[in-house]
């Protein structure tokens, strides 16, 4: 059975995973939600106006009262900058499984922040929430995201052709990954993992 506890604050070596707040709208818009380099790998289009982002952040903030809503902003501890978001979603009570999704601002790609955030969320989900399996997917033309998943201990399970259609009306093949709770303990990635504290 999944143990829901909402969205606690998670600290890692370089990051603070925390609830998004209404004042985060500008950073979210500037750093990733308005950037087509990020949105091209998503279903939703890049935001054209700050109003779109404000409405989106309001929708997220309004759900934090639900213990089954698990959605973090990714903040750099060194500067306090908000650089992305990561969430657990599509919880299945019958199986104990869920999915993870994330987005990181382009300026912070290839610095290990995505891996650090995903490792922490995978650890939190499997160890603290008692999730049976966490799944993820990425467009096959975005292999860097697959590397993040592999570094977090996930295993590629296959490729689904034309799994999504993005905002530019382009169909995208997606590689799907997963990690079982029973496999997690034996993986090197879980030894000395990055969660420093959970509040």
């Amino acid at each position: 059975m999944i143990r829901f506890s909402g969205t606690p604050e998670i600290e890692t070596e370089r990051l603070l995973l925390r609830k998004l707040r209404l004042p985060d709208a500008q950073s979210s818009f500037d750093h990733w939600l308005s950037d087509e380099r990020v949105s091209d790998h998503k279903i939703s289009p890049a935001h054209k106006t700050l109003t779109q982002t404000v409405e989106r952040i309001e929708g997220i903030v309004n759900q934090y009262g639900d213990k089954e809503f698990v959605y973090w902003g990714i903040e750099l501890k060194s500067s306090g900058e908000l650089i992305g978001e990561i969430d657990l979603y599509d919880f299945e009570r019958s199986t104990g499984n869920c999915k993870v999704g994330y987005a990181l601002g382009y300026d912070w790609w290839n610095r290990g922040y995505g891996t650090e955030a995903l490792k922490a969320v995978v650890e939190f989900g499997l160890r603290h929430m008692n999730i049976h399996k966490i799944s993820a997917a990425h467009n096959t033309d975005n292999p860097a995201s697959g590397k993040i998943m592999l570094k977090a201990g996930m295993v590629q399970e296959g490729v689904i052709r034309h799994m999504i259609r993005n905002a530019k009306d382009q169909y995208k093949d997606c590689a799907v990954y997963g990690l079982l709770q029973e496999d997690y303990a034996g993986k090197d990635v879980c030894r000395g993992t990055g969660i420093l504290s959970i509040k």
Side-chain angles (χ1 to χ4, degrees):
M1 177 182 291
I2 299 176
R3 297 190 293 264
F4 291 103
S5 58
T7 305
E9 185 176 282
I10 298 176
E11 182 184 1
T12 67
E13 181 182 356
R14 299 181 296 169
L15 304 174
L16 187 66
L17 307 185
R18 58 156 176 89
K19 292 178 180 177
L20 288 168
R21 303 184 284 261
L22 294 179
D24 292 325
Q26 187 70 62
S27 294
S28 302
F29 179 82
D30 292 341
H31 294 167
W32 74 92
L33 286 175
S34 66
D35 192 338
E36 289 191 354
R37 293 170 296 185
V38 177
S39 67
D40 278 354
H41 301 295
K42 300 286 186 179
I43 296 173
S44 301
H47 287 188
K48 299 298 184 185
T49 67
L50 179 59
T51 300
Q52 288 176 280
T53 304
V54 169
E55 291 174 353
R56 185 176 186 276
I57 298 297
E58 284 178 344
I60 292 169
V61 170
N62 288 339
Q63 294 182 74
Y64 279 131
D66 183 350
K67 290 287 188 184
E68 298 185 15
F69 187 68
V70 191
Y71 205 114
W72 294 273
I74 303 172
E75 179 182 301
L76 284 182
K77 288 165 57 176
S78 60
S79 65
E81 288 179 290
L82 188 70
I83 64 170
E85 60 190 357
I86 186 166
D87 68 314
L88 295 172
Y89 66 102
D90 276 2
F91 297 100
E92 298 177 357
R93 293 186 181 278
S94 61
T95 61
N97 298 346
C98 76
K99 297 174 184 175
V100 63
Y102 51 87
L104 200 65
Y106 183 81
D107 289 345
W108 296 275
W109 288 9
N110 301 312
R111 299 190 192 183
Y113 296 129
T115 299
E116 189 169 331
L118 184 58
K119 279 185 175 182
V121 169
V122 164
E123 178 181 355
F124 177 74
L126 298 178
R127 285 188 171 169
H128 299 273
M129 293 182 65
N130 195 39
I131 292 169
H132 175 71
K133 179 182 179 181
I134 298 177
S135 299
H138 71 85
N139 298 350
T140 54
D141 58 4
N142 182 25
S145 191
K147 291 179 181 177
I148 290 173
M149 295 173 192
L150 289 172
K151 289 176 182 177
M154 305 183 90
V155 176
Q156 185 174 343
E157 298 177 337
V159 174
I160 299 177
R161 299 170 62 202
H162 289 197
M163 181 176 172
I164 67 167
R165 184 166 63 181
N166 68 13
K168 294 181 177 178
D169 206 31
Q170 301 166 324
Y171 283 99
K172 296 287 185 175
D173 298 345
C174 292
V176 293
Y177 290 70
L179 180 57
L180 300 175
Q181 185 187 75
E182 62 196 57
D183 293 338
Y184 178 72
K187 288 185 173 285
D188 290 338
V189 71
C190 79
R191 298 191 179 99
T193 49
I195 291 182
L196 299 180
S197 69
I198 299 174
K199 299 177 183 176

